[in-house]
Amino acid sequence: SLTMAAATSELRVDHLPSDPLLHILSFLGFRDLIHCSYASRRLNELSKHNPLWKSLCSKHWLADRLQSGVSWYCLFKQYYRDLGRYIQYYPVLKRAWEQLKSFLQQRCPRMIASLKEGATEVELNDIEAQIGCRLPDDYRCSYRIHNGQKLVIATEVELMGSMSLSNHYRSEVLLDVETAAGGFQQRKGMRRCLPLTFCFHTGLSQYMALEPAEGRRMFESFYPCPDQTAQDPSAIDMFITGSCFLEWFTTYVHNVVTGEYPIIRDQIFRYVHDKGCVATTDDITVSVSTSFLPELSSVHPPHFFFTYRIRIEMSSGASPEAACQLDSRYWKITTSDGNVEEVQGPGVVGEFPVMTPGKVHEYSSCTTFSTPSEYMEGHYTFHRLANKEEVFHVAIPRFHMVCPPFREPVVRTVKAAIILLHSELKI
Protein backbone atom coordinates (compact mmCIF):
# COMPACT_ATOMS: atom_id res chain seq x y z
CA SER A 1 0.00 0.00 0.00
CA LEU A 2 2.94 2.32 0.73
CA THR A 3 4.33 1.59 -2.71
CA MET A 4 0.99 2.47 -4.37
CA ALA A 5 0.79 5.70 -2.37
CA ALA A 6 4.26 6.66 -3.45
CA ALA A 7 3.44 5.92 -7.07
CA THR A 8 0.25 7.99 -6.82
CA SER A 9 2.06 10.94 -5.29
CA GLU A 10 4.43 10.98 -8.21
CA LEU A 11 1.64 11.14 -10.80
CA ARG A 12 1.67 14.67 -12.21
CA VAL A 13 -0.20 16.45 -14.99
CA ASP A 14 3.09 16.95 -16.76
CA HIS A 15 3.42 13.19 -17.07
CA LEU A 16 0.04 12.66 -18.76
CA PRO A 17 -0.10 12.15 -22.54
CA SER A 18 -1.07 15.19 -24.60
CA ASP A 19 -4.16 13.70 -26.27
CA PRO A 20 -6.28 13.20 -23.13
CA LEU A 21 -5.22 16.61 -21.81
CA LEU A 22 -6.17 18.32 -25.08
CA HIS A 23 -9.48 16.50 -25.01
CA ILE A 24 -10.17 17.87 -21.52
CA LEU A 25 -9.10 21.38 -22.51
CA SER A 26 -11.46 21.30 -25.51
CA PHE A 27 -14.41 21.52 -23.10
CA LEU A 28 -13.20 24.79 -21.58
CA GLY A 29 -14.25 28.28 -22.49
CA PHE A 30 -11.65 30.81 -23.52
CA ARG A 31 -11.37 32.37 -20.05
CA ASP A 32 -10.79 29.02 -18.31
CA LEU A 33 -8.34 28.03 -21.03
CA ILE A 34 -6.29 31.15 -20.35
CA HIS A 35 -6.41 30.48 -16.60
CA CYS A 36 -5.09 26.96 -17.22
CA SER A 37 -2.16 28.40 -19.14
CA TYR A 38 -0.84 29.89 -15.88
CA ALA A 39 -0.97 26.57 -14.00
CA SER A 40 2.20 25.01 -15.46
CA ARG A 41 4.59 25.23 -18.35
CA ARG A 42 3.06 22.09 -19.88
CA LEU A 43 -0.50 23.43 -19.72
CA ASN A 44 0.72 26.77 -21.03
CA GLU A 45 2.00 25.02 -24.17
CA LEU A 46 -1.10 22.85 -24.59
CA SER A 47 -3.53 25.70 -23.99
CA LYS A 48 -2.22 27.41 -27.13
CA HIS A 49 -2.92 24.32 -29.28
CA ASN A 50 -4.21 25.70 -32.59
CA PRO A 51 -7.35 23.49 -32.96
CA LEU A 52 -8.60 24.64 -29.52
CA TRP A 53 -8.59 28.27 -30.62
CA LYS A 54 -9.95 27.47 -34.05
CA SER A 55 -13.05 26.12 -32.34
CA LEU A 56 -13.30 29.20 -30.11
CA CYS A 57 -12.81 31.56 -33.08
CA SER A 58 -15.65 29.82 -34.87
CA LYS A 59 -17.92 29.91 -31.80
CA HIS A 60 -17.42 33.54 -30.77
CA TRP A 61 -16.36 35.36 -33.95
CA LEU A 62 -17.75 33.06 -36.68
CA ALA A 63 -14.23 33.08 -38.15
CA ASP A 64 -13.48 30.12 -40.40
CA ARG A 65 -10.44 31.36 -42.34
CA LEU A 66 -6.95 31.91 -41.04
CA GLN A 67 -4.76 34.74 -42.23
CA SER A 68 -1.32 33.78 -43.52
CA GLY A 69 1.24 33.57 -40.73
CA VAL A 70 -1.32 34.06 -37.93
CA SER A 71 -2.30 31.31 -35.49
CA TRP A 72 -5.87 30.78 -34.35
CA TYR A 73 -4.79 31.83 -30.85
CA CYS A 74 -3.45 35.15 -32.18
CA LEU A 75 -6.55 35.65 -34.34
CA PHE A 76 -8.77 35.17 -31.29
CA LYS A 77 -6.74 37.79 -29.39
CA GLN A 78 -7.06 40.23 -32.31
CA TYR A 79 -10.85 39.87 -32.34
CA TYR A 80 -11.03 40.11 -28.57
CA ARG A 81 -9.03 43.33 -28.41
CA ASP A 82 -11.46 44.93 -30.88
CA LEU A 83 -14.80 43.34 -29.97
CA GLY A 84 -14.29 41.68 -26.60
CA ARG A 85 -16.93 43.77 -24.81
CA TYR A 86 -19.54 42.38 -27.22
CA ILE A 87 -18.57 38.70 -27.02
CA GLN A 88 -22.00 37.62 -25.70
CA TYR A 89 -23.81 39.41 -28.54
CA TYR A 90 -21.46 39.29 -31.50
CA PRO A 91 -22.02 35.69 -32.74
CA VAL A 92 -25.82 36.09 -32.58
CA LEU A 93 -25.89 39.46 -34.34
CA LYS A 94 -23.17 38.60 -36.86
CA ARG A 95 -25.03 35.43 -37.82
CA ALA A 96 -28.30 37.36 -38.12
CA TRP A 97 -26.67 39.94 -40.41
CA GLU A 98 -25.08 37.23 -42.59
CA GLN A 99 -28.36 35.33 -42.89
CA LEU A 100 -30.21 38.53 -43.78
CA LYS A 101 -27.67 39.55 -46.44
CA SER A 102 -27.58 36.07 -47.94
CA PHE A 103 -31.37 36.10 -48.22
CA LEU A 104 -31.56 39.62 -49.62
CA GLN A 105 -28.83 38.93 -52.18
CA GLN A 106 -31.25 36.56 -53.90
CA ARG A 107 -34.45 38.55 -53.38
CA CYS A 108 -33.72 42.26 -52.82
CA PRO A 109 -30.08 43.01 -53.74
CA ARG A 110 -30.61 46.79 -53.72
CA MET A 111 -31.11 46.66 -49.96
CA ILE A 112 -27.62 45.23 -49.45
CA ALA A 113 -26.10 48.05 -51.48
CA SER A 114 -27.72 50.53 -49.07
CA LEU A 115 -25.98 49.11 -45.98
CA LYS A 116 -23.18 51.15 -44.46
CA GLU A 117 -19.89 49.82 -43.15
CA GLY A 118 -19.68 49.29 -39.40
CA ALA A 119 -19.02 52.20 -37.06
CA THR A 120 -15.82 52.31 -35.01
CA GLU A 121 -15.55 52.28 -31.23
CA VAL A 122 -14.41 55.90 -31.31
CA GLU A 123 -17.45 56.94 -33.37
CA LEU A 124 -19.84 55.17 -30.99
CA ASN A 125 -18.13 56.71 -27.98
CA ASP A 126 -18.46 60.15 -29.59
CA ILE A 127 -22.19 59.58 -30.10
CA GLU A 128 -22.59 58.66 -26.42
CA ALA A 129 -20.82 61.87 -25.45
CA GLN A 130 -23.01 63.87 -27.85
CA ILE A 131 -26.34 62.59 -26.50
CA GLY A 132 -25.21 62.17 -22.89
CA CYS A 133 -26.52 58.60 -22.68
CA ARG A 134 -25.02 55.14 -22.76
CA LEU A 135 -25.83 53.04 -25.81
CA PRO A 136 -26.65 49.40 -24.97
CA ASP A 137 -23.93 46.90 -25.91
CA ASP A 138 -26.19 44.85 -28.20
CA TYR A 139 -26.99 48.01 -30.19
CA ARG A 140 -23.31 49.00 -30.32
CA CYS A 141 -22.35 45.49 -31.41
CA SER A 142 -24.80 45.50 -34.33
CA TYR A 143 -23.60 48.93 -35.41
CA ARG A 144 -20.00 47.73 -35.35
CA ILE A 145 -21.11 45.24 -38.03
CA HIS A 146 -23.28 47.61 -40.07
CA ASN A 147 -23.95 51.26 -39.28
CA GLY A 148 -27.53 51.21 -40.52
CA GLN A 149 -28.44 52.31 -44.05
CA LYS A 150 -27.58 55.16 -46.38
CA LEU A 151 -30.43 57.64 -46.36
CA VAL A 152 -31.65 57.49 -49.94
CA ILE A 153 -35.23 58.42 -50.75
CA ALA A 154 -35.95 55.49 -53.04
CA THR A 155 -38.15 52.42 -53.11
CA GLU A 156 -36.95 48.87 -52.67
CA VAL A 157 -34.16 49.75 -50.23
CA GLU A 158 -36.01 50.16 -46.91
CA LEU A 159 -34.66 47.32 -44.79
CA MET A 160 -37.10 47.33 -41.88
CA GLY A 161 -40.32 46.56 -43.71
CA SER A 162 -43.00 48.16 -45.85
CA MET A 163 -46.77 48.37 -46.04
CA SER A 164 -48.84 49.55 -48.96
CA LEU A 165 -52.57 50.23 -49.16
CA SER A 166 -54.55 52.11 -51.79
CA ASN A 167 -54.00 55.51 -50.14
CA HIS A 168 -51.23 54.81 -47.65
CA TYR A 169 -47.58 53.78 -47.89
CA ARG A 170 -45.04 53.08 -45.16
CA SER A 171 -41.45 51.93 -45.53
CA GLU A 172 -38.83 52.11 -42.76
CA VAL A 173 -35.05 52.46 -43.10
CA LEU A 174 -32.61 51.40 -40.39
CA LEU A 175 -31.02 54.67 -39.29
CA ASP A 176 -27.26 55.07 -39.08
CA VAL A 177 -26.08 56.05 -35.60
CA GLU A 178 -25.18 59.64 -36.58
CA THR A 179 -28.66 60.34 -37.96
CA ALA A 180 -30.23 58.58 -34.97
CA ALA A 181 -28.27 60.84 -32.61
CA GLY A 182 -29.62 63.86 -34.51
CA GLY A 183 -33.15 62.64 -33.74
CA PHE A 184 -32.42 61.84 -30.07
CA GLN A 185 -35.39 63.03 -28.01
CA GLN A 186 -35.18 65.20 -24.89
CA ARG A 187 -38.70 66.61 -24.94
CA LYS A 188 -41.17 65.72 -22.24
CA GLY A 189 -43.02 62.51 -23.04
CA MET A 190 -40.16 61.12 -25.17
CA ARG A 191 -37.20 61.91 -22.94
CA ARG A 192 -34.02 59.86 -23.56
CA CYS A 193 -35.40 58.04 -26.62
CA LEU A 194 -33.25 57.19 -29.66
CA PRO A 195 -34.87 56.57 -33.08
CA LEU A 196 -34.09 53.20 -34.65
CA THR A 197 -36.00 53.53 -37.92
CA PHE A 198 -37.55 56.25 -40.05
CA CYS A 199 -40.17 56.38 -42.80
CA PHE A 200 -39.78 59.21 -45.32
CA HIS A 201 -43.45 58.94 -46.33
CA THR A 202 -45.14 59.09 -42.91
CA GLY A 203 -42.46 60.45 -40.57
CA LEU A 204 -42.95 57.32 -38.46
CA SER A 205 -40.07 56.02 -36.33
CA GLN A 206 -39.51 53.19 -33.92
CA TYR A 207 -37.61 54.32 -30.83
CA MET A 208 -35.46 52.71 -28.16
CA ALA A 209 -35.65 53.93 -24.56
CA LEU A 210 -32.13 54.59 -23.27
CA GLU A 211 -33.34 55.19 -19.72
CA PRO A 212 -36.34 53.95 -17.71
CA ALA A 213 -38.38 57.15 -17.79
CA GLU A 214 -42.02 58.22 -18.25
CA GLY A 215 -43.36 54.68 -18.05
CA ARG A 216 -40.85 53.13 -20.44
CA ARG A 217 -38.53 50.26 -19.58
CA MET A 218 -34.80 50.41 -20.22
CA PHE A 219 -33.80 49.59 -23.81
CA GLU A 220 -37.25 48.50 -25.00
CA SER A 221 -38.30 49.50 -28.52
CA PHE A 222 -41.66 51.02 -29.36
CA TYR A 223 -43.81 53.09 -31.70
CA PRO A 224 -44.94 56.32 -30.00
CA CYS A 225 -48.66 57.03 -30.19
CA PRO A 226 -49.91 60.43 -28.93
CA ASP A 227 -52.89 60.31 -26.60
CA GLN A 228 -55.50 62.16 -28.65
CA THR A 229 -57.87 62.53 -25.69
CA ALA A 230 -55.38 64.28 -23.41
CA GLN A 231 -54.67 68.00 -23.34
CA ASP A 232 -51.08 67.32 -22.29
CA PRO A 233 -48.90 66.79 -25.42
CA SER A 234 -46.45 64.75 -23.33
CA ALA A 235 -49.11 62.03 -22.87
CA ILE A 236 -47.75 59.50 -25.35
CA ASP A 237 -48.86 55.87 -25.45
CA MET A 238 -46.46 53.19 -26.69
CA PHE A 239 -46.89 50.14 -28.90
CA ILE A 240 -44.07 47.86 -27.70
CA THR A 241 -42.05 46.09 -30.43
CA GLY A 242 -39.18 44.55 -28.45
CA SER A 243 -37.68 44.24 -24.96
CA CYS A 244 -34.15 45.05 -26.18
CA PHE A 245 -32.31 45.70 -29.44
CA LEU A 246 -31.07 42.11 -29.74
CA GLU A 247 -34.59 40.66 -29.54
CA TRP A 248 -36.04 43.37 -31.77
CA PHE A 249 -33.51 42.88 -34.57
CA THR A 250 -33.04 39.10 -34.50
CA THR A 251 -36.81 38.48 -34.39
CA TYR A 252 -37.26 40.68 -37.43
CA VAL A 253 -34.44 38.92 -39.32
CA HIS A 254 -35.89 35.52 -38.45
CA ASN A 255 -39.28 36.54 -39.86
CA VAL A 256 -37.65 37.75 -43.07
CA VAL A 257 -35.33 34.82 -43.80
CA THR A 258 -37.91 32.15 -42.92
CA GLY A 259 -40.47 33.68 -45.28
CA GLU A 260 -42.82 34.72 -42.49
CA TYR A 261 -42.70 38.22 -43.96
CA PRO A 262 -43.37 37.97 -47.71
CA ILE A 263 -41.35 39.71 -50.42
CA ILE A 264 -43.75 41.67 -52.64
CA ARG A 265 -42.42 43.75 -55.51
CA ASP A 266 -38.87 43.50 -54.11
CA GLN A 267 -39.91 44.85 -50.72
CA ILE A 268 -40.33 43.22 -47.32
CA PHE A 269 -43.92 43.36 -46.09
CA ARG A 270 -44.55 42.78 -42.40
CA TYR A 271 -47.55 40.51 -42.81
CA VAL A 272 -47.84 37.69 -40.27
CA HIS A 273 -49.21 34.35 -41.44
CA ASP A 274 -50.50 31.78 -38.98
CA LYS A 275 -49.59 28.38 -40.46
CA GLY A 276 -52.96 27.04 -39.38
CA CYS A 277 -54.84 29.84 -41.11
CA VAL A 278 -55.55 27.90 -44.30
CA ALA A 279 -58.82 26.41 -45.54
CA THR A 280 -59.40 24.22 -48.60
CA THR A 281 -62.79 23.73 -50.19
CA ASP A 282 -62.67 21.21 -53.03
CA ASP A 283 -59.96 22.56 -55.37
CA ILE A 284 -59.69 26.05 -53.89
CA THR A 285 -57.40 27.00 -50.99
CA VAL A 286 -57.68 30.26 -49.08
CA SER A 287 -54.93 31.52 -46.76
CA VAL A 288 -54.69 34.78 -44.81
CA SER A 289 -51.91 36.93 -43.34
CA THR A 290 -52.37 40.06 -41.26
CA SER A 291 -50.51 43.19 -40.17
CA PHE A 292 -51.05 45.90 -37.56
CA LEU A 293 -50.49 49.52 -38.61
CA PRO A 294 -49.40 51.59 -35.58
CA GLU A 295 -49.24 54.84 -37.55
CA LEU A 296 -53.00 54.65 -38.19
CA SER A 297 -53.91 53.40 -34.72
CA SER A 298 -54.35 54.92 -31.27
CA VAL A 299 -54.86 53.69 -27.72
CA HIS A 300 -56.78 56.79 -26.64
CA PRO A 301 -59.31 56.82 -28.16
CA PRO A 302 -59.24 53.06 -28.86
CA HIS A 303 -58.76 52.74 -32.62
CA PHE A 304 -56.78 49.77 -33.93
CA PHE A 305 -56.05 49.55 -37.64
CA PHE A 306 -55.26 46.24 -39.35
CA THR A 307 -54.65 45.15 -42.90
CA TYR A 308 -55.01 41.61 -44.16
CA ARG A 309 -53.80 39.90 -47.31
CA ILE A 310 -55.75 37.00 -48.77
CA ARG A 311 -54.46 34.41 -51.22
CA ILE A 312 -56.97 32.37 -53.23
CA GLU A 313 -55.51 29.50 -55.24
CA MET A 314 -57.07 26.83 -57.41
CA SER A 315 -55.18 23.56 -57.57
CA SER A 316 -53.28 22.97 -60.81
CA GLY A 317 -54.70 19.44 -60.76
CA ALA A 318 -58.30 20.65 -60.91
CA SER A 319 -60.30 19.80 -64.01
CA PRO A 320 -61.05 22.56 -66.56
CA GLU A 321 -64.74 22.15 -65.72
CA ALA A 322 -63.97 23.38 -62.18
CA ALA A 323 -63.28 26.93 -63.47
CA CYS A 324 -65.38 29.43 -61.52
CA GLN A 325 -65.88 33.09 -60.69
CA LEU A 326 -66.17 34.81 -57.32
CA ASP A 327 -69.49 36.58 -56.85
CA SER A 328 -69.62 37.78 -53.24
CA ARG A 329 -68.07 37.62 -49.79
CA TYR A 330 -69.46 37.10 -46.31
CA TRP A 331 -67.69 38.03 -43.06
CA LYS A 332 -68.43 37.21 -39.44
CA ILE A 333 -66.37 39.52 -37.21
CA THR A 334 -65.99 38.90 -33.47
CA THR A 335 -64.28 41.45 -31.22
CA SER A 336 -62.52 40.69 -27.94
CA ASP A 337 -65.46 42.09 -25.95
CA GLY A 338 -67.78 39.53 -27.56
CA ASN A 339 -69.57 41.72 -30.10
CA VAL A 340 -70.38 40.00 -33.40
CA GLU A 341 -70.91 41.77 -36.72
CA GLU A 342 -71.85 40.21 -40.06
CA VAL A 343 -70.90 41.85 -43.35
CA GLN A 344 -71.56 40.78 -46.92
CA GLY A 345 -71.06 42.38 -50.28
CA PRO A 346 -70.26 41.81 -53.96
CA GLY A 347 -66.78 40.72 -55.08
CA VAL A 348 -63.54 41.53 -53.29
CA VAL A 349 -62.18 45.12 -53.36
CA GLY A 350 -64.22 45.79 -56.51
CA GLU A 351 -63.04 42.67 -58.37
CA PHE A 352 -64.72 39.42 -59.37
CA PRO A 353 -61.76 37.11 -60.01
CA VAL A 354 -62.08 34.11 -62.30
CA MET A 355 -60.33 31.01 -60.98
CA THR A 356 -58.94 28.38 -63.34
CA PRO A 357 -56.63 25.42 -62.60
CA GLY A 358 -53.31 26.71 -61.19
CA LYS A 359 -54.42 30.34 -60.92
CA VAL A 360 -53.64 32.46 -57.85
CA HIS A 361 -55.48 35.65 -56.89
CA GLU A 362 -54.22 37.85 -54.05
CA TYR A 363 -55.66 41.04 -52.64
CA SER A 364 -55.31 43.24 -49.57
CA SER A 365 -57.94 45.01 -47.54
CA CYS A 366 -58.14 46.69 -44.15
CA THR A 367 -60.36 47.12 -41.15
CA THR A 368 -60.49 49.02 -37.85
CA PHE A 369 -61.68 47.99 -34.40
CA SER A 370 -62.20 49.61 -31.02
CA THR A 371 -60.73 46.57 -29.24
CA PRO A 372 -57.08 45.47 -29.43
CA SER A 373 -57.89 41.98 -30.69
CA GLU A 374 -60.55 40.30 -32.80
CA TYR A 375 -61.00 37.58 -35.36
CA MET A 376 -62.73 37.24 -38.71
CA GLU A 377 -64.02 34.26 -40.67
CA GLY A 378 -66.47 33.73 -43.49
CA HIS A 379 -66.86 32.45 -47.01
CA TYR A 380 -66.85 33.42 -50.68
CA THR A 381 -69.68 32.57 -53.03
CA PHE A 382 -68.64 31.26 -56.46
CA HIS A 383 -70.44 30.01 -59.56
CA ARG A 384 -69.11 27.62 -62.19
CA LEU A 385 -68.30 29.17 -65.55
CA ALA A 386 -69.74 26.16 -67.33
CA ASN A 387 -72.95 26.33 -65.33
CA LYS A 388 -73.97 29.61 -63.66
CA GLU A 389 -76.68 27.79 -61.75
CA GLU A 390 -74.03 25.82 -59.85
CA VAL A 391 -73.29 28.07 -56.91
CA PHE A 392 -71.09 27.06 -53.97
CA HIS A 393 -69.28 28.47 -50.94
CA VAL A 394 -65.52 28.50 -50.31
CA ALA A 395 -64.51 28.78 -46.66
CA ILE A 396 -62.33 31.65 -45.41
CA PRO A 397 -60.39 30.38 -42.36
CA ARG A 398 -60.67 32.13 -39.04
CA PHE A 399 -57.82 34.60 -38.62
CA HIS A 400 -56.92 36.66 -35.56
CA MET A 401 -55.77 40.26 -35.51
CA VAL A 402 -53.96 41.27 -32.35
CA CYS A 403 -52.17 44.57 -31.81
CA PRO A 404 -48.76 44.50 -30.07
CA PRO A 405 -48.61 45.14 -26.32
CA PHE A 406 -49.12 48.78 -25.45
CA ARG A 407 -48.39 50.88 -22.41
CA GLU A 408 -49.79 54.14 -21.13
CA PRO A 409 -47.52 57.02 -20.13
CA VAL A 410 -46.85 57.80 -16.48
CA VAL A 411 -48.68 61.13 -16.80
CA ARG A 412 -51.93 59.25 -17.58
CA THR A 413 -51.52 56.57 -14.91
CA VAL A 414 -50.69 59.19 -12.27
CA LYS A 415 -53.74 61.25 -13.29
CA ALA A 416 -55.93 58.15 -13.07
CA ALA A 417 -54.59 57.39 -9.58
CA ILE A 418 -55.33 60.95 -8.41
CA ILE A 419 -58.90 60.76 -9.76
CA LEU A 420 -59.38 57.41 -8.00
CA LEU A 421 -58.01 58.83 -4.74
CA HIS A 422 -60.33 61.85 -4.93
CA SER A 423 -63.35 59.62 -5.53
CA GLU A 424 -62.43 57.43 -2.54
CA LEU A 425 -62.01 60.47 -0.30
CA LYS A 426 -65.48 61.70 -1.28
CA ILE A 427 -66.94 58.32 -0.33
Side-chain angles (χ1 to χ4, degrees):
S1 60
L2 291 174
T3 305
M4 291 179 63
T8 303
S9 65
E10 293 173 2
L11 183 63
R12 298 169 54 187
V13 170
D14 289 352
H15 295 162
L16 292 175
S18 296
D19 286 348
L21 284 175
L22 289 171
H23 182 67
I24 293 170
L25 293 175
S26 70
F27 290 96
L28 301 182
F30 74 95
R31 289 187 177 89
D32 290 332
L33 197 55
I34 291 173
H35 291 158
C36 281
S37 71
Y38 296 113
S40 71
R41 184 175 298 173
R42 177 84 187 286
L43 285 177
N44 183 276
E45 294 172 354
L46 291 176
S47 66
K48 293 181 174 61
H49 189 56
N50 224 19
L52 295 176
W53 292 97
K54 179 180 181 181
S55 174
L56 290 169
C57 281
S58 176
K59 175 183 177 181
H60 293 292
W61 313 122
L62 307 187
D64 56 5
R65 294 181 182 179
L66 195 60
Q67 302 169 11
S68 177
V70 178
S71 69
W72 286 106
Y73 174 65
C74 290
L75 183 63
F76 187 95
K77 289 199 300 182
Q78 289 175 12
Y79 271 108
Y80 192 81
R81 287 192 195 101
D82 185 32
L83 298 163
R85 69 179 288 182
Y86 311 121
I87 197 163
Q88 72 180 105
Y89 302 117
Y90 185 85
V92 177
L93 288 165
K94 178 67 172 178
R95 186 174 290 109
W97 272 112
E98 293 303 315
Q99 290 175 341
L100 181 61
K101 289 191 292 184
S102 177
F103 178 85
L104 295 178
Q105 186 63 52
Q106 303 298 321
R107 306 296 299 274
C108 314
R110 290 182 60 187
M111 287 188 189
I112 297 179
S114 74
L115 295 176
K116 299 181 70 173
E117 295 294 325
T120 65
E121 282 295 289
V122 172
E123 289 169 339
L124 292 172
N125 292 339
D126 289 344
I127 293 297
E128 287 186 336
Q130 175 186 336
I131 64 176
C133 260
R134 181 176 72 86
L135 298 171
D137 276 353
D138 52 355
Y139 176 89
R140 287 180 63 117
C141 180
S142 183
Y143 276 69
R144 286 297 311 275
I145 300 168
H146 280 293
N147 184 13
Q149 291 184 271
K150 302 168 188 174
L151 293 183
V152 179
I153 304 177
T155 58
E156 302 174 10
V157 299
E158 295 88 348
L159 184 68
M160 302 310 293
S162 301
M163 184 55 59
S164 178
L165 299 173
S166 59
N167 58 353
H168 180 77
Y169 182 76
R170 181 192 78 216
S171 198
E172 294 175 60
V173 297
L174 181 65
L175 291 176
D176 63 75
V177 70
E178 295 82 6
T179 305
F184 182 65
Q185 298 292 311
Q186 293 281 25
R187 62 188 172 93
K188 188 179 178 182
M190 287 290 290
R191 194 167 291 136
R192 303 297 197 186
C193 291
L194 184 77
L196 296 172
T197 67
F198 181 71
C199 172
F200 289 104
H201 307 278
T202 64
L204 180 76
S205 284
Q206 291 186 67
Y207 286 85
M208 177 171 60
L210 296 188
E211 290 184 359
E214 302 172 322
R216 291 178 293 275
R217 296 173 184 169
M218 179 80 102
F219 300 147
E220 71 181 356
S221 55
F222 65 96
Y223 284 109
C225 178
D227 184 339
Q228 299 177 29
T229 64
Q231 295 182 346
D232 186 349
S234 68
I236 299 176
D237 298 309
M238 298 155 275
F239 290 113
I240 310 302
T241 56
S243 61
C244 63
F245 181 87
L246 182 74
E247 181 207 20
W248 175 78
F249 183 71
T250 56
T251 299
Y252 177 77
V253 171
H254 174 78
N255 287 334
V256 173
V257 301
T258 59
E260 181 71 26
Y261 291 161
I263 305 296
I264 304 172
R265 297 184 298 276
D266 296 325
Q267 293 175 280
I268 302 168
F269 278 70
R270 295 208 304 255
Y271 281 107
V272 177
H273 173 63
D274 181 348
K275 298 297 187 293
C277 191
V278 178
T280 300
T281 305
D282 296 330
D283 297 310
I284 299 178
T285 298
V286 177
S287 60
V288 188
S289 54
T290 64
S291 185
F292 173 72
L293 275 65
E295 68 272 27
L296 299 179
S297 301
S298 66
V299 178
H300 298 99
H303 179 84
F304 304 98
F305 193 104
F306 296 89
T307 179
Y308 53 90
R309 185 173 180 82
I310 296 187
R311 176 186 174 94
I312 307 171
E313 180 177 7
M314 176 172 274
S315 169
S316 58
S319 67
E321 290 76 19
C324 54
Q325 185 172 21
L326 190 152
D327 294 319
S328 62
R329 66 190 185 280
Y330 163 81
W331 290 113
K332 180 181 178 182
I333 305 167
T334 306
T335 59
S336 56
D337 56 11
N339 289 329
V340 177
E341 180 183 3
E342 296 182 86
V343 178
Q344 51 188 342
V348 288
V349 292
E351 297 184 302
F352 300 86
V354 172
M355 303 302 298
T356 55
K359 184 175 180 180
V360 174
H361 181 81
E362 293 181 297
Y363 73 93
S364 298
S365 189
C366 55
T367 185
T368 59
F369 297 95
S370 59
T371 57
S373 66
E374 53 282 315
Y375 63 84
M376 295 172 60
E377 58 194 328
H379 63 254
Y380 298 117
T381 300
F382 282 83
H383 71 265
R384 299 290 180 194
L385 295 184
N387 179 11
K388 291 187 177 182
E389 301 300 319
E390 186 181 349
V391 176
F392 61 100
H393 292 161
V394 171
I396 305 172
R398 176 180 294 185
F399 57 97
H400 293 261
M401 289 173 282
V402 182
C403 83
F406 58 82
R407 192 175 302 125
E408 297 178 346
V410 168
V411 63
R412 171 175 276 275
T413 55
V414 169
K415 183 178 179 181
I418 292 173
I419 293 173
L420 178 62
L421 179 62
H422 283 173
S423 64
E424 290 177 347
L425 290 175
K426 289 179 181 179
I427 294 173

